[in-house]
């Protein structure tokens, strides 16, 4: 990481919602719209940086986190100078740790801080005149991608569309009953052929007994991984029992928070694919060192992400900086809040995408184009 100093002049949050014709279904609930919370930081010289805060759940999550930024976090940044983005990340985290405990909201605070951290890194890249993937130490801005968010209703239809656009890997949501899950996988294999890579995500939807029953039945589909078959807070001996019963690599990490939690997970030697989400915890400042630790232990680093285009770009820069054989998650469902902002990631060829040499994240959000989806907070 290269240090870039700055002094913050202003911070502002912007909430957007895209109403869905087809709701996003998971094993624990549905999303009637796609929210996006962008945060813009401006330094005293007028340079700007953009970040995105995870806010998919609950339904008022975007507005709530925007108010946290306005009332608590922005005052901790405005008028202060920092030697670099990690210094600001440490300041925000230390200044709100007790408050987050007092109001029992460590998650929302961590998510808001993560979005601000991304914005400060975007600002740093623009000030340095360098793309983030290079500023963070990367050398190769190209990587594999996969289409996620395949719902349980006719997933092969959406997958076929994305396959025609260049995708060669797909992740199906499961946890809707054995019959439906297995039929969907069979339909995907029939529609896409044996060469494409398939993964499944149970979204913490199974008990240990259900996972032990389902995992062997999934093996015939040649899956790259089985994601969050158990709740993220289940004891590690349960995860070990499942690992011993299936040849499918286990994946998880999007719902872990903090270095201690990830270090414990790495020490347990259960997860083959580790998936921190930089918009939920850590931003770039904490997740780049984590990605390097993941790779150093022989695991596969594959960033989790499901949101708008700014967070997706940040995840891509982080993956490019970390290196390795990880692949980038891109939501396969239509979403203008992603499509209007993701820049070069809108083009996929042969299962791969890449980044440019434009400074920072490489895009400037067009608020006029997004105005149709803007909501007040």
């Amino acid at each position: 990481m290269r240090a870039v100093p700055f002094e913050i002049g202003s911070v502002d949050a912007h909430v957007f919602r895209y109403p869905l014709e087809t709701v996003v279904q998971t094993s624990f609930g549905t999303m009637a719209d796609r929210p996006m919370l962008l945060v813009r930081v401006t330094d005293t010289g007028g340079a700007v940086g953009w970040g995105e805060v995870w806010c998919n759940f609950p339904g008022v999550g975007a507005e709530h986190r925007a108010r946290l930024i306005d009332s608590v976090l922005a005052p901790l940044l405005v008028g202060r100078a920092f030697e670099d983005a990690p210094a600001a990340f440490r300041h925000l985290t230390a200044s709100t740790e007790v408050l987050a405990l007092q109001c029992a909201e460590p998650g929302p605070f961590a998510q808001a801080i993560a979005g601000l951290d991304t914005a400060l890194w975007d600002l740093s890249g623009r000030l340095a005149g360098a793309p983030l993937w290079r500023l963070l130490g990367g050398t190769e801005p190209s990587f594999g991608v996969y289409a996620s968010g395949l719902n349980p209703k006719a997933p092969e239809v959406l997958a076929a569309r994305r396959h025609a656009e260049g995708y060669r890997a797909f992740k199906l949501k499961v946890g809707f009953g054995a019959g439906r899950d297995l039929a969907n996988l069979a339909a995907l294999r029939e529609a896409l052929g044996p060469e494409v890579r398939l993964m499944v995500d149970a979204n913490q939807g199974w008990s240990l007994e259900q996972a032990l029953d389902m995992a062997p039945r999934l093996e015939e589909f040649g899956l790259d991984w089985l994601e969050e078959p158990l709740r993220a807070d289940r004891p590690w001996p349960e995860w070990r029992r499942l690992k011993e019963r299936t040849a499918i690599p286990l994946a998880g990490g999007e719902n872990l928070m903090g270095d201690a939690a990830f270090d414990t997970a790495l020490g347990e030697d259960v997860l083959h694919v580790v998936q921190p989400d930089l918009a939920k915890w850590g931003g770039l400042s904490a997740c780049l060192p984590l990605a390097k630790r993941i790779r150093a232990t022989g695991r596969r680093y594959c960033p989790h992400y499901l949101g708008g285009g700014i967070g997706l770009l940040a995840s891509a820069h982080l993956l490019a900086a970390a290196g390795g054989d990880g692949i980038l998650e891109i939501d396969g469902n239509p979403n203008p809040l992603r499509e209007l902002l993701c820049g070069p990631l809108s083009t996929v060829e042969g299962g791969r995408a890449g980044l440019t040499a434009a400074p920072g994240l490489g895009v400037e959000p067009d608020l006029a184009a997004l105005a149709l989806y803007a909501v007040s907070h």
Side-chain angles (χ1 to χ4, degrees), residues 133-134 137-144 316-324 352-356:
W133 60 266
R134 184 178 296 152
T139 58
E140 175 51 61
S142 173
F143 36 78
H317 281 273
L318 180 55
L319 178 60
R352 297 184 67 82
L355 297 165
T356 70

Side-chain angles (χ1 to χ4, degrees), residues 33-346:
D33 61 30
R34 299 306 303 270
M36 179 175 70
L37 170 53
L38 297 186
V39 59
R40 176 174 57 191
V41 298
T42 306
D43 78 351
T44 52
V48 302
W50 290 88
E52 184 174 346
V53 178
W54 186 92
C55 60
N56 290 342
F57 297 98
V60 296
E63 291 81 355
H64 170 55
R65 289 152 180 80
R67 290 169 183 158
L68 281 181
I69 291 171
D70 290 345
S71 63
V72 179
L73 297 171
L76 293 171
L77 290 177
V78 174
R80 292 185 61 101
F82 297 93
E83 63 184 15
D84 56 18
F89 176 83
R90 293 190 296 270
H91 170 66
L92 290 172
T93 301
S95 299
T96 57
E97 283 176 331
V98 174
L99 178 58
L101 291 174
Q102 181 69 26
C103 58
E105 291 195 297
F109 272 89
Q111 294 149 16
I113 291 172
L116 286 165
D117 180 78
T118 295
L120 293 171
W121 272 108
D122 184 32
L123 171 66
S124 299
R126 296 180 192 221
L127 291 173
L132 278 186
W133 60 266
R134 184 178 296 152
L135 191 68
L136 295 168
T139 58
E140 175 51 61
S142 173
F143 36 78
V145 302
Y146 70 95
S148 72
L150 300 185
N151 285 325
K153 184 177 180 180
E156 69 278 9
V157 176
L158 178 60
R161 293 192 194 123
R162 299 298 169 256
H163 187 273
E165 294 171 358
Y167 285 86
R168 296 296 180 264
F170 305 85
K171 187 170 74 179
L172 171 71
K173 291 184 178 297
V174 295
F176 303 96
R180 191 173 197 181
D181 293 344
L182 296 171
N184 280 338
L185 279 167
L188 284 171
R189 273 289 177 226
E190 182 177 358
L192 303 174
E195 294 81 15
V196 303
R197 298 158 70 178
L198 291 182
M199 300 79 80
V200 296
D201 185 355
N203 289 118
Q204 308 183 81
W206 292 330
S207 66
L208 175 61
E209 290 71 25
Q210 290 172 313
L212 290 172
D213 173 66
M214 281 297 297
R217 302 166 73 178
L218 297 171
E219 291 180 359
E220 67 175 285
F221 298 101
L223 302 179
D224 270 31
W225 69 67
L226 167 57
E227 186 171 331
E228 288 199 319
L230 306 174
R231 277 175 39 168
D233 61 354
R234 296 308 302 162
W236 288 110
E238 291 191 8
W239 287 81
R240 280 196 293 273
R241 280 190 61 191
L242 179 59
K243 180 184 178 183
E244 293 166 357
R245 286 280 296 273
T246 181
I248 305 173
L250 301 183
E254 69 179 271
N255 289 306
L256 297 179
M257 188 174 73
D259 284 316
F262 277 104
D263 289 342
T264 297
L266 294 175
E268 290 291 338
D269 193 26
V270 172
L271 299 177
H272 179 76
V273 180
V274 188
Q275 305 165 298
D277 188 321
L278 62 73
K280 295 187 83 169
W281 171 81
L284 293 154
S285 290
C287 285
L288 179 60
L290 172 58
K292 291 180 177 179
R293 295 201 303 278
I294 291 169
R295 291 200 57 213
T297 60
R299 272 66 160 212
R300 192 177 183 194
Y301 166 64
C302 294
H304 175 273
Y305 187 72
L306 192 72
I310 294 297
L312 178 60
L313 274 170
S315 300
H317 281 273
L318 180 55
L319 178 60
D325 65 345
I327 55 178
L328 179 70
E329 177 174 20
I330 301 180
D331 183 13
N333 296 282
N335 180 5
L337 301 180
R338 180 190 70 251
E339 296 154 2
L340 288 171
L341 295 171
C342 70
L345 300 180
S346 62

